[in-house]
Structure formats: structure tokens, C-alpha cells
Amino acid sequence: MTTIAKLIAFTIDCAEPKRLAEFYSQITGFEVQYAEEEYAGIGDGTTTIYFQRVPERRPGSWPGPDKQFHLDFRVPDVAKAVEEYLELGATKPEFQPGDWVVLADPEGHLFCVCPERS
């Protein structure tokens, strides 16, 4: 039997860790636990998202084959959440594939805003 691993953190490469930590803190409600120029982290006591400085990182195209990951977030009101996230600095790519909305954070990492399950 394979040893089961528990996901405790996810690290995102970016140019400005503190900036992205603040952005994702706003949309997740996670507290900023650590914020320096090279590394920052947010979490809720169970799960952590880290942001690691990689100045030469370039965002993947959307849609396109160079996208390596994206985060999915479930919200009670997609339209309202999208409006708020755009005000925080997200952008909305032209291509939208479904009942959810694809956004890009201030550095171009993609994430989906998904409706609650019916």
C-alpha cells in the first residue's frame, strides 16, 4: 500500500511575494503568517500557500499548453466575487470555458472562481 500524504502547503513562484500574499489573503481570508521580500506565506492553521521570489518567472498563456497549475476557489456568488477580485488587481482573460470564471492574479497566475455546488 502506498503511504498517504497530507497536503500542507503549496508554493507559488512569483516576482513579489508580499504583494501576492496580500492579494490571496484578501480572497481566501487566510492570515498573512510571514511576509518578506524573498518569501511570504498565508494560511488558516491547516493549509498554507507560500510565495517564493523568482524574478524572472513569466506567466503562462491562457488558453495554452504552458499553464502549469491553477487554483480553484468556491464562492457563494461568482459575479460578486469576480467584481471584488478584479478590484483587488486580478484580470479576466477573454477566453472563459464554463460555468466558472477564470481570472489571473496580479502576476498572471490563473485561478478559477467556482459556484457553490447545487
Side-chain angles (χ1 to χ4, degrees), residues 10-80:
F10 189 87
T11 301
I12 299 174
D13 293 344
C14 60
E16 297 181 61
K18 289 169 68 172
R19 178 180 180 209
L20 276 195
E22 285 295 328
F23 175 82
Y24 282 103
S25 173
Q26 290 285 320
I27 69 169
T28 63
F30 287 10
E31 291 185 31
V32 175
Q33 299 172 331
Y34 181 82
E36 297 294 332
E37 293 303 316
E38 297 295 317
Y39 205 71
I42 64 172
D44 66 356
T46 302
T47 305
T48 304
I49 304 173
Y50 291 114
F51 306 91
Q52 176 177 296
R53 185 163 147 41
V54 178
E56 60 278 357
R57 186 204 155 268
R58 284 179 260 138
S61 60
W62 172 250
D66 54 347
K67 177 179 70 77
Q68 296 178 345
F69 74 91
H70 71 273
L71 301 173
D72 292 338
F73 296 103
R74 191 171 304 285
V75 297
D77 183 334
V78 172
K80 182 177 184 216

